[in-house]
Amino acid sequence: MNWWKPLAVLAVVLLAVGAVGALVGLAAAIAGNTAALATVGLVAVVVLGLSALGSAPSRWLSTPYWGR
């Protein structure tokens, strides 16, 4: 058995627990603050918009001549 596999699983679990804890803490912090809630919403919209823009096919690479 490789000694690093249980260590890697432990590291992933600890990272996941830390991330969930941070999200819960963030949600608790912004629950009563309208400005913070608006900021988090705006950041989420920007990230989702840039993600959609980055996953779209490039206009410069999609030409009708390349399909032949």
Side-chain angles (χ1 to χ4, degrees), residues 3-30:
W3 62 269
W4 57 269
K5 286 185 180 180
L7 185 62
V9 169
L10 179 64
V12 168
V13 167
L14 288 175
L15 184 65
V17 167
V20 168
L23 286 175
V24 168
L26 178 65
I30 66 170

Side-chain angles (χ1 to χ4, degrees), residues 29-67:
I30 66 170
N33 192 347
T34 307
L37 187 60
T39 303
V40 169
L42 181 63
V43 168
V45 167
V46 168
V47 167
L48 290 174
L50 289 176
S51 174
L53 180 68
S55 65
S58 177
R59 284 189 307 157
W60 303 107
L61 297 177
S62 59
T63 64
Y65 303 108
W66 288 14

